[in-house]
Amino acid sequence: MKIKAILLLAGLMMCSVACLSNKKQTAYEEDVTYDYYRNDHYGYTVVYPLFLIPEGEGREDGQTFIADDGVSNMQVYQTEKAALSLEDAYRKDLEGRNASEKQLEKNFYRMVWKEGKNTCTQYTILAYGSFYELVFKYTPQNASRFEAVIPVIVESLMVDGLGREDDEDPDGFIAFLFDFLDVCFYEKNLNRLIRDKDPRLASYIDSQMGLQRYYAPGAVAYLAGGDRNFGFNEYDDFTFEPSSAGEISVTELPDGKSACELDFENEGEVYYESVEKVPDVVVNTETLETKAVVLPYPDAEIRVVYVPNKYHSPVGLYFILTPDGWKFVFIDDTLCGA
């Protein structure tokens, strides 16, 4: 099975949002932590800052997130807009609004207007024949806070078309994986995030298991967690940032094919397979005796995802289905003699 997800405004937004918003990026010192919202019915995912509280899905198409002042908020939803074209929808939404900023592009439009003293910002994106909207409303007191996070939220919006009715992702792994790759892998250096214990990883790591790394400084592979700096040393790569070029493709590894046969010429392509267990760990370097890694969830589903390193060789990312959903538990940097 091969599934693609479109990172709708990645790359383009680096200019169109960042360039248009830079003049408003006033210094805001809060360290912002994000979680993600997944709409299974319409197959889209977006991050939201934890200073916004989700109200719950009162309707199938989306959700509202409210700030602590009770006024400032973010709304995300899918809408058909009565089968209008993107340009027609843009002109219709402009009616009655004295927009201070407006922008129409190939696959999205953006506008900013005032409601009293409050600022409203709307992004409407066209994907798979439907419109997806992000609407932000914020008070003057919350302006700096919202203007700092809006570009992050907008760039995170990802539509994969995997609605619940499609039955193509019954355990939610594909949707979870698309989100993980977007937030923690593409245009980032995963080793650096792990080494620095970056907060972006926090929601993907199980509190009982933590995260561990298989590494091989020589002929023998070892396993290390955060207490031993994950086995990293000065020669490990902390600079390579793979690019998806705006599109991630996830393919189940064909039967009989080895991860070492994979060609990562296109960095946006990743592969996965289900496995019975994670790799054993060496306990005696002289006899090369190994033992199994014991997991706190003995009957849990395990999937390994193969992504490229800077040499386009595979790195294994292990995910386990825990009572709290899929979690990132191991990274294997020892594949194929790496």
Side-chain angles (χ1 to χ4, degrees), residues 214 219-223 277-294:
Y214 292 91
V220 178
Y222 299 91
L223 184 62
K277 63 174 190 173
V278 300
D280 293 346
V281 61
V282 173
V283 293
N284 188 316
T285 58
E286 293 183 1
T287 64
L288 299 183
E289 178 189 355
T290 64
K291 71 173 183 180
V293 176
V294 179

Side-chain angles (χ1 to χ4, degrees), residues 8-9 12-13 16-17 20 86 90 103-110 123-126 154:
L8 293 169
L9 304 182
L12 174 62
M13 295 305 296
S16 59
V17 173
L20 285 171
L86 184 71
Y90 168 71
Q103 176 187 8
L104 175 63
E105 299 290 346
K106 181 179 178 180
N107 70 327
F108 80 98
Y109 59 83
R110 168 184 178 270
Y123 288 86
T124 299
I125 301 100
L126 178 63
V154 174

Side-chain angles (χ1 to χ4, degrees), residues 235-257:
Y235 301 107
D236 287 307
D237 170 56
F238 299 106
T239 59
F240 172 62
E241 296 185 355
S243 173
S244 67
E247 185 172 275
I248 301 171
S249 172
V250 173
T251 305
E252 189 169 11
L253 192 69
D255 289 341
K257 187 164 186 174

Side-chain angles (χ1 to χ4, degrees), residues 173 184 186 193 293 338:
F173 177 70
C184 301
Y186 286 110
L193 297 189
V293 176

Side-chain angles (χ1 to χ4, degrees), residues 17 55 69 100 154 162 183 193 195 198 206 227 234 260 279 313 335:
V17 173
E55 287 200 314
D69 64 6
S100 58
V154 174
L162 290 174
V183 174
L193 297 189
R195 180 198 64 187
D198 192 288
D206 182 66
D227 58 334
E234 60 183 313
C260 298
S313 296
L335 296 176

Side-chain angles (χ1 to χ4, degrees), residues 97-165:
R97 295 173 177 171
N98 185 20
S100 58
E101 298 180 26
K102 51 189 177 180
Q103 176 187 8
L104 175 63
E105 299 290 346
K106 181 179 178 180
N107 70 327
F108 80 98
Y109 59 83
R110 168 184 178 270
M111 58 187 66
V112 180
W113 72 98
K114 290 282 190 180
E115 289 185 0
K117 293 183 179 180
N118 300 326
T119 300
C120 299
T121 300
Q122 174 180 322
Y123 288 86
T124 299
I125 301 100
L126 178 63
Y128 296 114
S130 295
F131 292 92
Y132 298 82
E133 290 197 337
L134 285 159
V135 182
F136 306 89
K137 178 180 179 180
Y138 48 92
T139 63
Q141 293 80 8
N142 261 322
S144 295
R145 199 180 210 187
F146 269 73
E147 288 162 5
V149 301
I150 285 175
V152 177
I153 296 168
V154 174
E155 284 200 31
S156 78
L157 180 64
M158 181 168 53
V159 177
D160 52 50
L162 290 174
R164 198 178 265 129
E165 67 277 11

Side-chain angles (χ1 to χ4, degrees), residues 204-338:
Y204 302 100
I205 296 175
D206 182 66
S207 59
Q208 287 194 56
M209 296 191 63
L211 177 64
Q212 297 184 78
R213 174 176 174 260
Y214 292 91
Y215 68 104
V220 178
Y222 299 91
L223 184 62
D227 58 334
R228 290 193 287 137
N229 197 31
F230 304 99
F232 286 127
N233 61 45
E234 60 183 313
Y235 301 107
D236 287 307
D237 170 56
F238 299 106
T239 59
F240 172 62
E241 296 185 355
S243 173
S244 67
E247 185 172 275
I248 301 171
S249 172
V250 173
T251 305
E252 189 169 11
L253 192 69
D255 289 341
K257 187 164 186 174
S258 164
C260 298
E261 300 175 67
L262 296 175
D263 177 9
F264 287 106
E265 184 176 344
N266 177 1
E267 293 174 359
E269 287 197 350
V270 302
Y271 300 82
Y272 75 95
E273 64 177 332
S274 296
V275 294
E276 294 295 322
K277 63 174 190 173
V278 300
D280 293 346
V281 61
V282 173
V283 293
N284 188 316
T285 58
E286 293 183 1
T287 64
L288 299 183
E289 178 189 355
T290 64
K291 71 173 183 180
V293 176
V294 179
L295 307 178
Y297 314 107
D299 299 319
E301 294 252 5
I302 305 173
R303 301 234 170 97
V304 56
V305 176
Y306 302 109
V307 297
N309 64 15
K310 71 175 181 179
Y311 304 109
H312 287 185
S313 296
V315 173
L317 310 180
Y318 284 82
F319 299 89
I320 292 182
L321 184 56
T322 76
D324 292 324
W326 288 98
K327 297 294 181 180
F328 177 36
V329 290
F330 297 96
I331 177 170
D332 189 350
D333 272 327
T334 70
L335 296 176
C336 312

